[in-house]
Amino acid sequence: MYISLSLGELILKGKNRQKFVNQLKRNIRRVLKDEDLGEIYQEMGKIYIETPPDRLEARMKKLKHLFGIVYISPCIRLEKDLETIKKETTPFIAGYLEKNPAQTFKVVCSRADKSFPVKSPEMNRILGGEILSHFPNLKVDVHNPDFYFYCDIKKYVYFYISKIKAYGGLPVGTNERGLVLLSGGIDSPVAGFLMGKRGVQIDALHFHSYPFTSQRGEEKVKDLARILSTYTGPIRMHSINLLPIQKEIQKSCPYEEMTILSRRFMMRIGQKLCDELGYLSLITGENLGQVASQTIYGLRASADVVDTLVFRPLIGMDKVDIIRIAQDIGTYGTSIQPFEDCCTVFLPKHPSLKPSIEEMEASEANLDVEKLVNEAVASRKTYRID
Ligand code: ATP
Ligand code: MG
Protein backbone atom coordinates (compact mmCIF):
# COMPACT_ATOMS: atom_id res chain seq x y z
CA MET A 1 0.00 0.00 0.00
CA TYR A 2 0.90 3.64 -0.33
CA ILE A 3 -0.20 6.81 1.41
CA SER A 4 -0.57 9.75 -0.93
CA LEU A 5 -0.45 13.32 0.30
CA SER A 6 -1.99 16.09 -1.82
CA LEU A 7 0.07 19.24 -1.54
CA GLY A 8 -2.48 21.93 -2.45
CA GLU A 9 -1.02 25.39 -2.10
CA LEU A 10 2.54 24.12 -2.19
CA ILE A 11 2.43 23.23 -5.84
CA LEU A 12 1.76 26.89 -6.64
CA LYS A 13 5.07 27.94 -5.16
CA GLY A 14 6.89 28.40 -8.46
CA LYS A 15 10.66 28.43 -8.17
CA ASN A 16 10.52 27.90 -4.41
CA ARG A 17 8.40 24.78 -4.65
CA GLN A 18 11.25 22.36 -4.04
CA LYS A 19 12.27 24.16 -0.86
CA PHE A 20 8.73 23.78 0.49
CA VAL A 21 8.41 20.16 -0.59
CA ASN A 22 11.78 19.26 0.92
CA GLN A 23 10.77 20.83 4.23
CA LEU A 24 7.56 18.80 4.18
CA LYS A 25 9.53 15.64 3.52
CA ARG A 26 11.77 16.41 6.49
CA ASN A 27 8.66 16.96 8.64
CA ILE A 28 7.23 13.64 7.44
CA ARG A 29 10.42 11.84 8.44
CA ARG A 30 10.28 13.55 11.82
CA VAL A 31 6.70 12.50 12.68
CA LEU A 32 7.30 8.99 11.36
CA LYS A 33 10.71 8.65 12.95
CA ASP A 34 9.79 5.45 14.80
CA GLU A 35 8.66 3.80 11.57
CA ASP A 36 10.71 1.73 9.21
CA LEU A 37 10.25 4.03 6.23
CA GLY A 38 10.72 2.95 2.67
CA GLU A 39 10.73 5.34 -0.19
CA ILE A 40 9.17 8.82 0.07
CA TYR A 41 8.84 10.30 -3.40
CA GLN A 42 7.01 13.00 -5.20
CA GLU A 43 5.03 12.73 -8.38
CA MET A 44 3.11 15.67 -9.80
CA GLY A 45 1.58 17.47 -6.85
CA LYS A 46 1.58 14.53 -4.47
CA ILE A 47 4.00 12.81 -2.13
CA TYR A 48 3.85 9.02 -1.84
CA ILE A 49 4.95 6.92 1.11
CA GLU A 50 5.14 3.17 0.82
CA THR A 51 3.34 1.71 3.84
CA PRO A 52 2.56 -1.79 5.11
CA PRO A 53 -1.24 -2.18 5.50
CA ASP A 54 -1.00 -2.69 9.27
CA ARG A 55 0.76 0.69 9.68
CA LEU A 56 -1.70 2.61 7.53
CA GLU A 57 -4.05 3.96 10.21
CA ALA A 58 -1.33 4.92 12.66
CA ARG A 59 0.70 6.74 10.05
CA MET A 60 -2.25 8.60 8.58
CA LYS A 61 -3.20 9.82 12.04
CA LYS A 62 0.23 11.38 12.51
CA LEU A 63 0.44 12.79 9.01
CA LYS A 64 -2.96 14.43 9.39
CA HIS A 65 -1.35 16.94 11.77
CA LEU A 66 1.32 18.04 9.30
CA PHE A 67 0.81 21.41 7.68
CA GLY A 68 1.23 21.61 3.92
CA ILE A 69 -1.00 18.61 3.24
CA VAL A 70 -4.55 19.07 1.94
CA TYR A 71 -5.75 15.49 1.54
CA ILE A 72 -4.48 12.10 2.59
CA SER A 73 -5.45 8.96 0.69
CA PRO A 74 -4.53 5.34 1.16
CA CYS A 75 -3.87 3.98 -2.32
CA ILE A 76 -2.45 1.12 -4.32
CA ARG A 77 0.17 1.48 -7.03
CA LEU A 78 0.10 -0.40 -10.34
CA GLU A 79 2.21 -0.64 -13.44
CA LYS A 80 0.98 1.63 -16.19
CA ASP A 81 -0.65 -0.92 -18.42
CA LEU A 82 -4.31 -1.06 -19.44
CA GLU A 83 -4.75 -4.81 -18.87
CA THR A 84 -3.25 -4.55 -15.37
CA ILE A 85 -5.45 -1.58 -14.55
CA LYS A 86 -8.59 -3.41 -15.66
CA LYS A 87 -7.64 -6.61 -13.85
CA GLU A 88 -6.93 -4.84 -10.55
CA THR A 89 -10.12 -2.76 -10.55
CA THR A 90 -12.46 -5.53 -9.38
CA PRO A 91 -10.48 -6.71 -6.32
CA PHE A 92 -9.86 -3.10 -5.32
CA ILE A 93 -13.56 -2.20 -5.44
CA ALA A 94 -14.48 -5.48 -3.70
CA GLY A 95 -12.07 -4.61 -0.88
CA TYR A 96 -13.75 -1.26 -0.45
CA LEU A 97 -17.31 -2.61 -0.54
CA GLU A 98 -16.53 -5.14 2.19
CA LYS A 99 -16.36 -2.33 4.74
CA ASN A 100 -18.39 0.37 2.99
CA PRO A 101 -21.72 -0.75 1.58
CA ALA A 102 -22.68 1.40 -1.41
CA GLN A 103 -25.16 1.54 -4.26
CA THR A 104 -23.70 4.15 -6.59
CA PHE A 105 -20.25 5.23 -7.76
CA LYS A 106 -18.42 7.44 -10.19
CA VAL A 107 -15.04 6.79 -11.83
CA VAL A 108 -12.64 9.73 -11.96
CA CYS A 109 -9.58 9.02 -14.07
CA SER A 110 -6.93 11.64 -14.37
CA ARG A 111 -4.33 11.10 -17.06
CA ALA A 112 -1.40 13.28 -16.04
CA ASP A 113 0.94 11.28 -18.25
CA LYS A 114 -0.22 12.16 -21.74
CA SER A 115 1.90 9.39 -23.26
CA PHE A 116 -0.63 6.88 -21.94
CA PRO A 117 -2.69 6.04 -25.03
CA VAL A 118 -6.20 6.02 -23.53
CA LYS A 119 -7.71 9.41 -22.69
CA SER A 120 -9.43 10.05 -19.34
CA PRO A 121 -13.10 9.99 -20.50
CA GLU A 122 -12.49 6.72 -22.31
CA MET A 123 -10.73 5.32 -19.22
CA ASN A 124 -13.76 6.31 -17.12
CA ARG A 125 -15.97 4.32 -19.46
CA ILE A 126 -13.69 1.29 -19.50
CA LEU A 127 -13.30 1.10 -15.71
CA GLY A 128 -16.98 1.95 -15.13
CA GLY A 129 -17.92 -0.92 -17.44
CA GLU A 130 -15.53 -3.22 -15.62
CA ILE A 131 -17.15 -2.40 -12.27
CA LEU A 132 -20.73 -2.67 -13.56
CA SER A 133 -20.07 -6.10 -15.03
CA HIS A 134 -18.64 -7.47 -11.75
CA PHE A 135 -20.94 -5.74 -9.26
CA PRO A 136 -24.50 -5.97 -10.62
CA ASN A 137 -25.90 -4.14 -7.58
CA LEU A 138 -23.87 -1.00 -8.25
CA LYS A 139 -25.05 1.83 -10.49
CA VAL A 140 -23.29 4.88 -11.85
CA ASP A 141 -24.33 8.24 -10.45
CA VAL A 142 -22.25 11.10 -11.82
CA HIS A 143 -23.84 13.77 -9.62
CA ASN A 144 -24.05 12.39 -6.12
CA PRO A 145 -22.41 8.96 -5.91
CA ASP A 146 -21.90 7.01 -2.70
CA PHE A 147 -18.21 6.82 -3.57
CA TYR A 148 -15.72 8.10 -6.12
CA PHE A 149 -13.18 5.69 -7.56
CA TYR A 150 -10.08 7.66 -8.47
CA CYS A 151 -7.49 6.44 -10.92
CA ASP A 152 -4.45 8.70 -11.38
CA ILE A 153 -2.26 7.86 -14.34
CA LYS A 154 1.24 9.18 -13.81
CA LYS A 155 4.59 7.41 -13.98
CA TYR A 156 2.71 4.69 -12.15
CA VAL A 157 -1.04 4.26 -11.80
CA TYR A 158 -2.73 4.84 -8.44
CA PHE A 159 -6.16 3.69 -7.25
CA TYR A 160 -7.83 5.31 -4.26
CA ILE A 161 -11.27 6.04 -2.88
CA SER A 162 -10.98 7.85 0.46
CA LYS A 163 -9.75 11.41 0.63
CA ILE A 164 -9.17 12.44 4.22
CA LYS A 165 -9.06 16.17 4.75
CA ALA A 166 -5.95 17.55 6.45
CA TYR A 167 -5.22 21.13 7.51
CA GLY A 168 -3.50 22.55 4.43
CA GLY A 169 -1.21 25.52 5.05
CA LEU A 170 2.56 25.53 4.63
CA PRO A 171 5.12 23.12 6.11
CA VAL A 172 6.41 24.18 9.51
CA GLY A 173 9.91 25.57 9.12
CA THR A 174 9.31 27.45 5.87
CA ASN A 175 8.59 30.74 7.68
CA GLU A 176 11.36 30.92 10.26
CA ARG A 177 10.96 30.61 14.03
CA GLY A 178 8.40 32.50 16.08
CA LEU A 179 7.68 32.81 19.79
CA VAL A 180 4.08 32.43 20.94
CA LEU A 181 3.10 34.04 24.23
CA LEU A 182 1.28 31.07 25.64
CA SER A 183 -1.08 31.56 28.57
CA GLY A 184 -3.29 28.78 29.82
CA GLY A 185 -6.27 30.31 28.04
CA ILE A 186 -8.25 29.32 24.97
CA ASP A 187 -6.86 31.89 22.57
CA SER A 188 -3.08 31.72 22.55
CA PRO A 189 -2.80 27.99 21.66
CA VAL A 190 -5.09 28.66 18.70
CA ALA A 191 -2.89 31.60 17.69
CA GLY A 192 0.18 29.35 17.83
CA PHE A 193 -1.60 26.72 15.77
CA LEU A 194 -2.63 29.23 13.10
CA MET A 195 0.86 30.67 12.69
CA GLY A 196 2.33 27.16 12.66
CA LYS A 197 -0.09 26.49 9.85
CA ARG A 198 1.52 29.31 7.88
CA GLY A 199 4.91 27.65 8.25
CA VAL A 200 6.25 29.35 11.38
CA GLN A 201 8.23 27.05 13.64
CA ILE A 202 6.85 27.70 17.11
CA ASP A 203 8.44 28.01 20.54
CA ALA A 204 6.49 29.21 23.57
CA LEU A 205 6.89 31.80 26.32
CA HIS A 206 4.79 31.42 29.44
CA PHE A 207 4.49 33.67 32.48
CA HIS A 208 3.34 32.47 35.87
CA SER A 209 3.18 34.11 39.27
CA TYR A 210 4.32 31.26 41.48
CA PRO A 211 3.40 30.79 44.36
CA PHE A 212 0.22 32.74 43.60
CA THR A 213 -0.27 30.52 40.58
CA SER A 214 0.19 26.80 41.03
CA GLN A 215 2.65 24.25 39.69
CA ARG A 216 -0.31 22.48 38.14
CA GLY A 217 -1.11 25.67 36.24
CA GLU A 218 2.29 25.49 34.61
CA GLU A 219 1.81 21.79 33.88
CA LYS A 220 -1.40 22.68 32.12
CA VAL A 221 0.46 25.07 29.82
CA LYS A 222 3.01 22.35 29.11
CA ASP A 223 0.10 20.09 28.20
CA LEU A 224 -1.11 22.73 25.76
CA ALA A 225 2.37 23.05 24.27
CA ARG A 226 2.48 19.26 23.94
CA ILE A 227 -0.77 19.24 21.95
CA LEU A 228 0.55 22.06 19.76
CA SER A 229 3.77 20.14 19.19
CA THR A 230 1.86 17.31 17.49
CA TYR A 231 1.25 19.86 14.71
CA THR A 232 4.36 22.00 14.82
CA GLY A 233 7.09 19.63 15.98
CA PRO A 234 9.10 19.87 19.23
CA ILE A 235 8.55 23.10 21.16
CA ARG A 236 10.89 24.80 23.58
CA MET A 237 8.85 26.39 26.32
CA HIS A 238 10.41 29.26 28.26
CA SER A 239 8.76 29.75 31.61
CA ILE A 240 9.22 32.96 33.58
CA ASN A 241 7.96 34.10 36.96
CA LEU A 242 6.37 37.51 36.50
CA LEU A 243 5.73 37.99 40.21
CA PRO A 244 8.80 40.16 40.94
CA ILE A 245 7.70 42.57 38.20
CA GLN A 246 4.06 42.54 39.29
CA LYS A 247 5.14 43.37 42.85
CA GLU A 248 7.17 46.32 41.64
CA ILE A 249 4.23 47.58 39.59
CA GLN A 250 1.93 47.16 42.59
CA LYS A 251 4.34 49.16 44.74
CA SER A 252 5.03 52.03 42.34
CA CYS A 253 2.24 52.40 39.77
CA PRO A 254 -1.53 53.06 39.70
CA TYR A 255 -3.22 49.74 40.33
CA GLU A 256 -5.74 50.11 37.48
CA GLU A 257 -2.77 50.00 35.10
CA MET A 258 -1.57 46.63 36.42
CA THR A 259 -2.85 44.50 33.55
CA ILE A 260 -1.60 46.69 30.78
CA LEU A 261 1.77 47.37 32.41
CA SER A 262 2.21 43.61 32.90
CA ARG A 263 1.42 43.06 29.24
CA ARG A 264 4.04 45.63 28.27
CA PHE A 265 6.60 43.73 30.31
CA MET A 266 5.57 40.45 28.68
CA MET A 267 6.11 41.98 25.25
CA ARG A 268 9.48 43.44 26.22
CA ILE A 269 10.61 40.09 27.58
CA GLY A 270 9.38 38.43 24.40
CA GLN A 271 11.35 40.91 22.32
CA LYS A 272 14.48 40.29 24.37
CA LEU A 273 14.16 36.53 23.79
CA CYS A 274 13.71 37.18 20.06
CA ASP A 275 16.93 39.17 20.04
CA GLU A 276 18.82 36.57 22.07
CA LEU A 277 17.50 33.40 20.48
CA GLY A 278 16.78 34.47 16.92
CA TYR A 279 12.97 34.36 16.75
CA LEU A 280 11.71 36.60 13.96
CA SER A 281 8.16 37.06 15.23
CA LEU A 282 6.10 37.26 18.41
CA ILE A 283 2.64 35.69 18.36
CA THR A 284 -0.21 36.52 20.72
CA GLY A 285 -3.82 35.44 21.10
CA GLU A 286 -5.06 39.02 21.27
CA ASN A 287 -8.54 39.62 19.93
CA LEU A 288 -9.93 43.10 19.42
CA GLY A 289 -12.35 44.17 22.09
CA GLN A 290 -12.41 40.90 24.01
CA VAL A 291 -11.23 42.28 27.36
CA ALA A 292 -10.16 45.62 28.77
CA SER A 293 -6.52 45.14 27.78
CA GLN A 294 -7.54 44.41 24.21
CA THR A 295 -9.25 47.65 23.32
CA ILE A 296 -7.50 49.64 20.61
CA TYR A 297 -5.81 51.64 23.37
CA GLY A 298 -4.74 48.54 25.22
CA LEU A 299 -3.34 46.91 22.09
CA ARG A 300 -1.53 50.10 21.15
CA ALA A 301 -0.02 50.38 24.58
CA SER A 302 1.27 46.81 24.62
CA ALA A 303 2.51 46.90 21.02
CA ASP A 304 4.32 50.18 21.59
CA VAL A 305 7.23 48.65 23.51
CA VAL A 306 8.48 46.25 20.82
CA ASP A 307 9.75 46.63 17.30
CA THR A 308 9.73 42.93 16.42
CA LEU A 309 7.03 41.73 14.05
CA VAL A 310 3.97 40.80 16.14
CA PHE A 311 1.35 38.41 14.77
CA ARG A 312 -2.18 38.44 16.22
CA PRO A 313 -3.92 35.91 14.02
CA LEU A 314 -7.14 36.02 16.08
CA ILE A 315 -7.52 39.76 16.01
CA GLY A 316 -10.72 39.86 13.95
CA MET A 317 -12.28 36.54 14.87
CA ASP A 318 -15.41 35.84 16.90
CA LYS A 319 -14.99 33.92 20.13
CA VAL A 320 -17.26 31.09 18.93
CA ASP A 321 -15.01 30.55 15.92
CA ILE A 322 -11.88 30.54 18.07
CA ILE A 323 -13.51 27.98 20.36
CA ARG A 324 -14.44 25.84 17.38
CA ILE A 325 -10.80 25.71 16.27
CA ALA A 326 -9.65 25.01 19.84
CA GLN A 327 -12.06 22.07 19.97
CA ASP A 328 -11.02 20.81 16.58
CA ILE A 329 -7.29 20.88 17.34
CA GLY A 330 -7.75 19.38 20.78
CA THR A 331 -6.62 22.24 23.06
CA TYR A 332 -10.03 23.35 24.33
CA GLY A 333 -10.51 20.72 27.04
CA THR A 334 -7.14 21.56 28.54
CA SER A 335 -7.59 25.34 28.21
CA ILE A 336 -10.79 25.37 30.24
CA GLN A 337 -9.27 23.55 33.22
CA PRO A 338 -9.57 26.08 36.01
CA PHE A 339 -6.18 27.32 37.18
CA GLU A 340 -5.20 30.82 38.22
CA ASP A 341 -3.51 32.83 35.50
CA CYS A 342 -0.79 35.31 36.37
CA CYS A 343 -2.97 38.15 35.07
CA THR A 344 -5.99 37.22 37.17
CA VAL A 345 -3.94 37.17 40.37
CA PHE A 346 -3.44 40.92 40.12
CA LEU A 347 -6.59 41.82 38.26
CA PRO A 348 -7.68 45.41 38.99
CA LYS A 349 -11.42 45.86 39.62
CA HIS A 350 -11.54 48.78 37.20
CA PRO A 351 -8.77 48.34 34.65
CA SER A 352 -8.02 51.42 32.58
CA LEU A 353 -9.90 51.18 29.29
CA LYS A 354 -8.07 53.99 27.52
CA PRO A 355 -4.48 53.67 28.67
CA SER A 356 -2.38 56.23 26.86
CA ILE A 357 1.21 55.53 26.00
CA GLU A 358 2.25 58.73 27.84
CA GLU A 359 0.52 57.56 31.04
CA MET A 360 2.21 54.17 30.79
CA GLU A 361 5.59 55.72 30.27
CA ALA A 362 5.05 58.08 33.18
CA SER A 363 4.19 55.14 35.44
CA GLU A 364 7.14 53.12 34.23
CA ALA A 365 9.46 56.04 35.05
CA ASN A 366 9.08 54.80 38.64
CA LEU A 367 10.54 51.40 37.68
CA ASP A 368 13.92 50.19 36.52
CA VAL A 369 12.40 48.61 33.42
CA GLU A 370 15.58 47.36 31.84
CA LYS A 371 16.82 45.71 35.00
CA LEU A 372 13.47 44.01 35.61
CA VAL A 373 13.37 42.70 32.04
CA ASN A 374 16.95 41.44 32.16
CA GLU A 375 16.39 39.69 35.46
CA ALA A 376 13.23 38.06 34.22
CA VAL A 377 14.90 36.82 31.06
CA ALA A 378 17.89 35.51 33.00
CA SER A 379 15.63 33.66 35.45
CA ARG A 380 13.79 31.69 32.75
CA LYS A 381 13.46 27.93 32.80
CA THR A 382 13.31 26.22 29.44
CA TYR A 383 11.61 22.88 28.83
CA ARG A 384 11.67 20.80 25.70
CA ILE A 385 8.17 19.64 24.84
CA ASP A 386 7.84 16.80 22.38
P1 ATP B 1 -5.76 33.69 26.18
O1 ATP B 1 -7.04 32.97 25.99
O2 ATP B 1 -4.72 33.35 25.15
O3 ATP B 1 -5.23 33.58 27.57
P2 ATP B 1 -6.99 36.16 26.83
O4 ATP B 1 -8.28 36.32 26.12
O5 ATP B 1 -7.00 35.65 28.23
O6 ATP B 1 -6.07 35.23 25.92
P3 ATP B 1 -5.23 38.31 27.70
O7 ATP B 1 -5.14 37.76 29.05
O8 ATP B 1 -5.49 39.77 27.50
O9 ATP B 1 -6.28 37.57 26.75
O10 ATP B 1 -3.90 37.99 26.95
C1 ATP B 1 -3.69 38.37 25.63
C2 ATP B 1 -2.52 37.59 25.11
O11 ATP B 1 -1.36 37.86 25.89
C3 ATP B 1 -2.69 36.09 25.22
O12 ATP B 1 -3.40 35.55 24.13
C4 ATP B 1 -1.26 35.63 25.25
O13 ATP B 1 -0.71 35.60 23.94
C5 ATP B 1 -0.58 36.71 26.06
N1 ATP B 1 -0.58 36.32 27.48
C6 ATP B 1 -1.48 36.63 28.44
N2 ATP B 1 -1.17 36.04 29.61
C7 ATP B 1 -0.05 35.33 29.39
C8 ATP B 1 0.78 34.47 30.19
N3 ATP B 1 0.48 34.23 31.46
N4 ATP B 1 1.85 33.91 29.62
C9 ATP B 1 2.15 34.14 28.33
N5 ATP B 1 1.41 34.92 27.53
C10 ATP B 1 0.33 35.51 28.04
MG1 MG C 1 -5.76 34.53 29.34
Side-chain angles (χ1 to χ4, degrees):
M1 297 282 294
Y2 284 77
I3 295 175
S4 80
L5 310 172
S6 311
L7 304 185
E9 200 173 320
L10 284 200
I11 47 179
L12 304 173
K13 286 287 165 202
K15 286 205 191 95
N16 278 331
R17 182 190 310 160
Q18 210 46 47
K19 177 187 135 190
F20 284 79
V21 172
N22 288 343
Q23 182 66 50
L24 180 57
K25 283 187 187 166
R26 277 196 291 279
N27 296 352
I28 292 169
R29 292 206 180 270
R30 175 175 50 69
V31 292
L32 300 183
K33 63 180 182 299
D34 302 329
E35 301 264 335
D36 187 12
L37 279 192
E39 210 186 352
I40 296 185
Y41 64 95
Q42 179 194 354
E43 242 198 277
M44 298 169 135
K46 288 190 185 179
I47 287 178
Y48 294 89
I49 306 166
E50 193 175 359
T51 297
D54 63 330
R55 297 305 304 156
L56 206 60
E57 287 303 321
R59 285 189 187 184
M60 291 206 303
K61 201 166 155 219
K62 288 182 182 168
L63 291 167
K64 201 170 163 260
H65 280 206
L66 278 189
F67 299 129
I69 299 168
V70 181
Y71 287 106
I72 303 178
S73 297
C75 56
I76 63 166
R77 186 176 99 172
L78 309 172
E79 291 306 318
K80 195 167 44 192
D81 156 70
L82 184 57
E83 281 318 305
T84 311
I85 298 172
K86 279 166 65 178
K87 190 166 77 54
E88 294 299 333
T89 296
T90 306
F92 184 75
I93 299 295
Y96 176 76
L97 291 175
E98 250 171 48
K99 289 186 196 133
N100 308 274
Q103 267 113 49
T104 57
F105 72 100
K106 176 179 177 175
V107 181
V108 183
C109 281
S110 146
R111 187 182 60 131
D113 176 1
K114 302 299 179 202
S115 74
F116 188 73
V118 188
K119 291 188 176 160
S120 303
E122 179 60 15
M123 279 302 288
N124 289 343
R125 272 191 292 278
I126 295 175
L127 299 189
E130 197 69 26
I131 294 171
L132 289 171
S133 68
H134 286 90
F135 302 93
N137 294 330
L138 282 182
K139 285 194 184 61
V140 174
D141 180 345
V142 293
H143 298 298
N144 190 22
D146 292 339
F147 71 92
Y148 290 88
F149 168 43
Y150 296 95
C151 169
D152 288 358
I153 302 168
K154 302 178 167 179
K155 182 165 168 245
Y156 296 97
V157 171
Y158 300 92
F159 283 178
Y160 56 101
I161 292 176
S162 344
K163 272 176 135 184
I164 296 146
K165 208 163 161 34
Y167 287 100
L170 301 173
V172 167
T174 55
N175 266 322
E176 311 305 329
R177 294 161 62 230
L179 186 62
V180 57
L181 277 73
L182 191 64
S183 68
I186 295 168
D187 301 334
S188 43
V190 174
F193 170 87
L194 289 176
M195 294 319 296
K197 189 174 162 199
R198 292 317 297 173
V200 179
Q201 192 192 322
I202 304 289
D203 275 349
L205 169 59
H206 174 65
F207 297 97
H208 59 85
S209 308
Y210 190 76
F212 288 91
T213 59
S214 67
Q215 209 82 58
R216 267 300 292 139
E218 196 184 10
E219 287 303 318
K220 165 186 165 178
V221 180
K222 283 188 198 165
D223 290 343
L224 288 171
R226 198 165 294 120
I227 298 168
L228 271 185
S229 74
T230 66
Y231 300 91
T232 64
I235 289 179
R236 273 186 303 170
M237 182 174 123
H238 311 289
S239 192
I240 291 179
N241 192 341
L242 200 63
L243 191 57
I245 291 177
Q246 290 172 309
K247 281 184 169 163
E248 284 301 306
I249 297 173
Q250 191 179 28
K251 210 160 62 188
S252 316
C253 308
Y255 198 59
E256 64 272 17
E257 292 174 4
M258 172 57 91
T259 311
I260 201 75
L261 288 173
S262 306
R263 298 274 305 115
R264 281 163 69 91
F265 273 96
M266 288 184 189
M267 295 302 277
R268 287 190 180 100
I269 292 166
Q271 162 101 55
K272 180 112 185 135
L273 286 175
C274 287
D275 297 343
E276 266 186 31
L277 302 174
Y279 303 110
L280 294 189
S281 59
L282 286 176
I283 298 159
T284 77
E286 287 164 312
N287 177 246
L288 186 57
Q290 196 181 87
V291 288
S293 58
Q294 295 177 29
T295 59
I296 291 284
Y297 293 95
L299 291 169
R300 260 164 55 98
S302 50
D304 176 59
V305 293
V306 292
D307 50 30
T308 311
L309 186 59
V310 181
F311 289 128
R312 302 175 181 83
L314 312 185
I315 197 70
M317 290 174 70
D318 284 355
K319 191 75 186 187
V320 286
D321 296 322
I322 299 170
I323 289 176
R324 203 167 293 140
I325 300 177
Q327 287 168 331
D328 177 47
I329 67 177
T331 52
Y332 184 75
T334 305
S335 287
I336 59 173
Q337 289 171 10
F339 289 103
E340 285 281 1
D341 179 70
C342 74
C343 298
T344 50
V345 173
F346 288 90
L347 192 65
K349 271 219 176 61
H350 302 287
S352 37
L353 292 178
K354 285 194 177 186
S356 78
I357 289 169
E358 293 71 26
E359 280 166 3
M360 296 301 115
E361 285 173 347
S363 303
E364 285 165 352
N366 303 322
L367 307 169
D368 189 341
V369 172
E370 197 181 319
K371 178 165 162 273
L372 289 171
V373 169
N374 287 341
E375 285 172 358
V377 168
S379 74
R380 73 177 182 271
K381 289 202 174 114
T382 300
Y383 307 96
R384 191 189 146 89
I385 314 279
D386 205 342

